[in-house]
Amino acid sequence: QFPAVHAAIIAEAARRERRRLARFPGQRPDESAVIATRRHWIVFARWLPVLSGVLLIWWALNAVLGALDTSLPWWAHLIVGGGTLFAGVWLFIDWINDWFVVSTRRVLHMERVIGIFESDEEAPLEKVQNVTLRVTLLPRILGYGDVIIETAATGGRIVFDKIPDPGRALNEIQQEARKAQQREQESSRARVLESIRRDLGVHLGLRQPAPPKPKGPEGVQRTTRFGALTQLFGGFHILPPTHFEKDGQQIWRKHVLV
């Protein structure tokens, strides 16, 4: 009788089911995933022509040498074939182990490069102030783009780059941020009332003053953990490092190729 209402109920049920089934590394007990995605498949697929080109050139070189009644040693085939296979597997793993997450509590970007580093960026939803979409022509055709999330804190910015269906991600972040901000307002009012009751109790001698509660994070939290390869070869640099510590200060500089 009411098809629009029926469709909305079905859509909401499907949305809740997706949340229930969605999982991501580091998920906390008090949150569920709204979106847990990786970068668009094109980020990995763009390397396939390069790898295929290497094998094609190698095959052509062997064909030319075969016509000249000569050949390359077996270990050269092993190096090129094994190296190409290793590069393909490495690129696939590097693509599949990065996550962009919108949960019921936070937005989170997890970047992983095996053996090199692990980096996490996260911000509570109630601190999100602005969400924008950045999509150019080709990404629009292929269905991916960037979602830029900004918080009130200085440097408070997380970029979900090259994710599939960025419009949906933007809508979900805005919706969950509104919910989180409403919860924060209700919690703030409850804290004010509790503070008034506590102050009255202290004033009348009925209570002892309570210690102040620690504040939550104001903006984006960033953590970086270096992997085994970085720790093993951390002191060796082919090119000058872009980040180092000197006299207790963290110093960043442009890459030598920039």
Side-chain angles (χ1 to χ4, degrees):
Q1 190 175 2
F2 300 99
V5 175
H6 181 67
I9 292 173
I10 292 176
E12 181 61 24
R15 188 166 176 263
R16 292 186 179 185
E17 182 65 11
R18 284 197 303 269
R19 287 189 183 188
R20 186 183 68 82
L21 296 175
R23 293 288 183 272
F24 62 92
Q27 186 169 347
R28 298 169 183 169
D30 63 340
E31 66 181 344
S32 59
V34 180
I35 292 177
T37 186
R38 301 175 178 91
R39 289 184 176 91
H40 193 270
W41 58 264
I42 195 67
V43 174
F44 169 69
R46 65 185 177 180
W47 289 104
L48 296 180
V50 177
L51 300 176
S52 301
V54 170
L55 295 178
L56 183 61
I57 293 171
W58 186 250
W59 174 83
L61 177 61
N62 279 276
V64 171
L65 292 176
L68 299 175
D69 293 328
T70 185
S71 63
L72 293 169
W74 64 268
W75 50 263
H77 297 281
L78 182 62
I79 291 174
V80 173
T84 304
L85 177 61
F86 175 80
V89 172
W90 174 277
L91 291 168
F92 178 76
I93 294 175
D94 185 53
W95 168 70
I96 206 171
N97 66 0
D98 299 333
W99 286 89
F100 299 93
V101 177
V102 181
S103 80
T104 51
R105 296 289 181 183
R106 55 183 172 150
V107 290
L108 171 65
H109 170 208
M110 292 182 286
E111 190 77 19
R112 304 285 185 265
V113 179
I114 296 176
I116 307 299
F117 74 91
E118 298 179 357
S119 175
D120 296 339
E121 295 179 306
E122 66 174 276
L125 282 167
E126 62 269 17
K127 302 300 181 181
V128 172
Q129 279 203 334
N130 191 36
V131 188
T132 56
L133 186 64
R134 183 173 60 198
V135 183
T136 55
L137 180 59
L138 181 59
R140 187 182 302 276
I141 295 171
L142 295 175
Y144 71 93
D146 301 343
V147 176
I148 303 166
I149 306 155
E150 297 178 346
T151 68
T154 303
R157 174 171 164 166
I158 298 177
V159 179
F160 284 17
D161 62 292
K162 301 179 181 65
I163 62 170
D165 199 358
R168 176 181 168 237
L170 180 142
N171 292 333
E172 293 285 7
I173 293 170
Q174 290 176 332
Q175 184 174 342
E176 293 301 322
R178 282 193 295 268
K179 292 179 182 177
Q181 288 160 4
Q182 290 172 357
R183 290 195 300 266
E184 179 66 17
Q185 290 173 358
E186 293 170 359
S187 177
S188 178
R189 285 194 291 266
R191 287 195 298 269
V192 170
L193 290 174
E194 176 60 26
S195 177
I196 293 172
R197 294 191 189 99
R198 184 174 60 249
D199 291 345
L200 286 173
V202 171
H203 181 72
L204 297 174
L206 302 176
R207 290 187 182 183
Q208 294 295 324
K213 294 183 179 180
K215 290 185 177 181
E218 291 297 325
V220 177
Q221 291 182 295
R222 292 182 173 88
T223 57
T224 300
R225 299 172 294 279
F226 294 106
L229 291 177
T230 302
Q231 294 175 9
L232 182 62
F233 299 104
F236 174 75
H237 300 282
I238 297 175
L239 297 175
T242 58
H243 171 244
F244 56 92
E245 184 174 351
K246 182 178 181 181
D247 299 330
Q249 293 183 328
Q250 299 292 325
I251 300 175
W252 296 83
R253 63 187 180 190
K254 289 184 178 180
H255 195 274
V256 67
L257 299 179
V258 175

